[in-house]
Amino acid sequence: MSRLIIVSNRVAPISEGGPAAGGLAVGVYDALKETGGMWFGWSGDVLTSGQPQIALEERGPVTFATIGLLRRDYDQYYRGFSNATLWPAFHYRADLVQYDRHEYEGYSRVNAWLAQQLVPLLREDDVIWVHDYHLIPFAQALRAAGVKNRIGFFLHIPFPASQVLLAVPPHRELVQALCAFDLLGFQTRPDLRAFCDYIVNEAGGTTAMQPDGLTRIEAFGQTLCAGDYPIGVYPDEIAELARAGERGKPVRTLKATLHGRKVIMSVDRLDYSKGLVERFRAFERLLDHAPAQRNKVSFVQIAPPTRADLHAYQDIRLRLEAESGRINGRYAELDWTPIWYIHRQYERAVLAALFRASNVGYVTPLRDGMNLVAKEYVSAQNPEDPGVLVLSRFAGAAQELSGALIVNPLDIDGMADALSAALSMPLAERLARYQDMMAQLRENNVSVWRDRFMRDLGQVSVRQGVSLPPLERAQG
Ligand code: ADQ
């Protein structure tokens, strides 16, 4: 039986037995538990000296193989090229791209080193599924080490338009490295189109739609396939968590503090791609334009800081603190705080219960590969009295969730109008929109996402001609 080997930058903390906050962790760990196999990646430890060693730990059908990073590798590979170059560029923020040739060398070096660490753990018929922008050169590095297994790649963040990607100096090498995979998965069709556009217009390659719906790509002397695989959630599990948490302490505290006021809820990692400043301003605009809403609604923004050692993240944090302070100073009353801005992580169950207790889910990234919070918000709603999702057109989720009120996060008035419409939407319309979105979420849950990708990875013709048995599900 073929094992599934998941490779991602971070592996979910083993001691917690489950995923940390972060969409990738949630989606992938759930998937791996069902299939069985190994999860390989960085432990999260940064070592100042010594030689990092792989630690192996078995948990049911999943083996966790983790390794620390040396300080210089962390700085160049993770903090530098991954998060100060690729992340802003892939989120269309060419203005924030910082490029340092040594960091790119470190990124390539760490990919090669991680690949060498994985090689002794591999079996001939393992199927390897690599995740996200930290590991673009990973297949190239495995191939260089003689690995002939099937290797797929899923990009969790957007793939940018060619003219934006060109801002990353080694863009060509990166796309060439992607072509060493057998199957590339993108979140949405626009991401796949952007990749194909680069292949044809910048790399001089060709793309062709196949009868099976996959796009066949020929470029840099390689042949591979690509497709769009929008990541999902388990909507019924989230609904159950939310229902179970309805009478829990967090929801009771929220309701007691609100005194019957409505609540708009946002949950994000604190990141400039999430559009938080624009979102705060649109809430302020709502209070400006609709005085009747004052003291009638509060906006709760939960945003735990991430990547706090990067300047761009320190900047966005300061700007948000200034904005929330300014808006609260302008509108707060002795018995009412307009914006609650909370820098904390919460358990999934608590978030689900808070989503259910709120009237509006306010999810307005400037760019997002998918945005699982949008899907979690809808899943958590009370089927008899659902809240309304206000969703950015630039979240991948907007391609599927047409029952949301779709907004442009740069249009502050438009967002304020959408908030107003959401707060006053009649039950019949809320029900129709909710049911439409729940049907979509059930149809494309995270198992469907995983199965589609694994099926296609099992079927694409592998250039080395290795023939592999299909993956089997782990029992129990
Ligand atoms: P993220 O950028 O992390 O993921 P998102 O998809 O919204 O964005 O996932 C966030 C996850 O973290 C959600 O499951 C959410 O519930 C959880 N989370 C957020 N804040 C939290 C908090 N305060 N406490 C606890 N949990 C919290 C990347 C891409 C996305 C893509 C995912 C999955 O940027 O576009 O949807 O991967 O592919």
Side-chain angles (χ1 to χ4, degrees):
M1 167 177 153
S2 290
R3 294 185 309 169
L4 171 61
I5 310 295
I6 297 283
V7 183
S8 67
N9 171 60
R10 272 305 301 275
V11 174
I14 298 166
S15 55
E16 292 164 28
L24 186 148
V26 175
V28 171
Y29 186 63
D30 282 349
L32 192 58
K33 271 192 297 190
E34 279 185 37
T35 315
M38 186 194 296
W39 191 350
F40 172 82
W42 176 34
S43 61
D45 295 330
V46 180
L47 313 179
T48 44
S49 62
Q51 190 56 37
Q53 301 290 333
I54 291 196
L56 294 177
E57 188 171 328
E58 310 272 332
R59 282 220 167 207
V62 182
T63 302
F64 291 89
T66 56
I67 190 158
L69 286 178
L70 290 172
R71 164 64 56 185
R72 185 178 73 134
D73 291 346
Y74 167 84
D75 284 340
Q76 294 186 333
Y77 148 82
Y78 179 73
R79 196 169 157 271
F81 192 71
S82 293
N83 284 325
T85 309
L86 291 180
W87 178 272
F90 280 43
H91 287 86
Y92 288 77
R93 292 298 303 270
D95 59 316
L96 294 179
V97 168
Q98 291 176 17
Y99 177 70
D100 177 327
R101 186 182 291 175
H102 302 294
E103 290 178 350
Y104 176 56
E105 283 163 12
Y107 174 82
S108 307
R109 182 184 67 244
V110 171
N111 266 271
W113 173 73
L114 286 172
Q116 283 155 14
Q117 302 302 310
L118 178 62
V119 170
L121 304 177
L122 289 176
R123 299 179 193 156
E124 207 172 85
D125 63 351
D126 284 343
V127 173
I128 305 166
W129 187 3
V130 179
H131 290 261
D132 232 359
Y133 60 101
H134 317 86
L135 298 168
I136 287 172
F138 202 78
Q140 213 174 31
L142 283 178
R143 299 286 182 228
V147 170
K148 298 196 183 330
N149 302 51
R150 260 165 221 271
I151 316 177
F153 178 81
F154 184 74
L155 182 67
H156 288 256
I157 64 175
F159 192 88
S162 293
Q163 289 302 311
V164 179
L165 184 57
L166 295 180
V168 180
H171 55 87
R172 191 177 168 85
E173 286 174 38
L174 291 167
V175 175
Q176 183 168 5
L178 281 173
C179 291
F181 288 95
D182 298 304
L183 176 66
L184 297 177
F186 298 93
Q187 293 274 24
T188 66
R189 281 191 170 268
D191 299 309
L192 173 59
R193 275 203 301 271
F195 180 75
C196 291
D197 178 61
Y198 185 100
I199 289 293
V200 172
N201 294 310
E202 301 294 334
T206 60
T207 66
M209 181 67 102
Q210 299 185 152
D212 60 7
L214 285 173
T215 301
R216 183 185 165 92
I217 290 167
E218 294 190 10
F220 302 105
Q222 311 267 24
T223 302
L224 62 149
C225 283
D228 62 304
Y229 302 87
I231 193 169
V233 294
Y234 288 119
D236 293 304
E237 234 176 58
I238 295 170
E240 184 46 37
L241 279 179
R243 202 195 52 73
E246 210 164 23
R247 290 183 218 296
K249 190 155 178 263
V251 171
R252 278 188 283 123
T253 310
L254 177 75
K255 291 200 165 154
T257 320
L258 283 170
H259 292 295
R261 293 186 190 92
K262 291 194 170 175
V263 62
I264 298 170
M265 178 75 62
S266 294
V267 174
D268 311 77
R269 284 182 308 97
L270 180 41
D271 193 298
Y272 51 78
S273 65
K274 302 291 184 184
L276 275 70
V277 173
E278 292 76 5
R279 186 183 301 172
F280 281 26
R281 291 197 178 142
F283 179 68
E284 178 186 29
R285 192 68 53 91
L286 171 76
L287 301 179
D288 269 348
H289 288 185
Q293 296 288 3
R294 295 180 200 160
N295 211 330
K296 296 286 185 302
V297 59
S298 281
F299 164 32
V300 177
Q301 171 70 64
I302 298 175
T306 50
R307 305 173 194 166
D309 50 358
L310 289 175
H311 284 309
Y313 288 78
Q314 293 156 8
D315 279 358
I316 185 73
R317 183 173 176 166
L318 288 176
R319 287 179 65 202
L320 283 167
E321 283 167 3
E323 281 300 283
S324 57
R326 185 182 63 74
I327 298 166
N328 278 339
R330 186 167 169 214
Y331 282 111
E333 294 172 23
L334 286 175
D335 63 344
W336 173 56
T337 306
I339 301 182
W340 303 2
Y341 177 36
I342 304 170
H343 278 175
R344 272 195 54 181
Q345 284 198 8
Y346 288 93
E347 283 171 24
R348 291 174 81 190
V350 173
L351 284 184
L354 293 175
F355 287 155
R356 187 173 169 116
S358 60
N359 305 85
V360 180
Y362 190 21
V363 185
T364 57
L366 299 172
R367 286 283 162 185
D368 221 325
M370 178 52 59
N371 196 299
L372 292 178
V373 171
K375 294 188 168 184
E376 291 164 358
Y377 179 81
V378 173
S379 306
Q381 293 312 298
N382 178 347
E384 270 135 45
D385 186 16
V388 180
L389 178 64
V390 173
L391 179 61
S392 163
R393 59 172 299 162
F394 301 121
Q399 302 286 319
E400 293 169 272
L401 298 180
S402 51
L405 294 179
I406 303 290
V407 296
N408 180 335
L410 300 172
D411 177 3
I412 305 295
D413 285 319
M415 282 206 288
D417 290 348
L419 285 178
S420 176
L423 287 165
S424 59
M425 191 178 285
L427 178 62
E429 186 177 349
R430 283 190 278 127
L431 282 171
R433 288 174 179 272
Y434 162 78
Q435 284 159 5
D436 175 67
M437 292 191 281
M438 266 313 252
Q440 172 65 29
L441 292 175
R442 287 192 174 112
E443 200 179 302
N444 185 38
N445 71 20
V446 75
S447 306
V448 173
W449 167 75
R450 183 271 320 282
D451 289 348
R452 278 190 59 226
F453 189 91
M454 293 310 300
R455 185 202 59 205
D456 289 349
L457 182 56
Q459 283 172 2
V460 291
S461 50
V462 178
R463 63 205 78 182
Q464 289 77 14
V466 192
S467 139
L468 298 168
L471 280 175
E472 287 172 32
R473 289 278 176 86
Q475 298 301 311

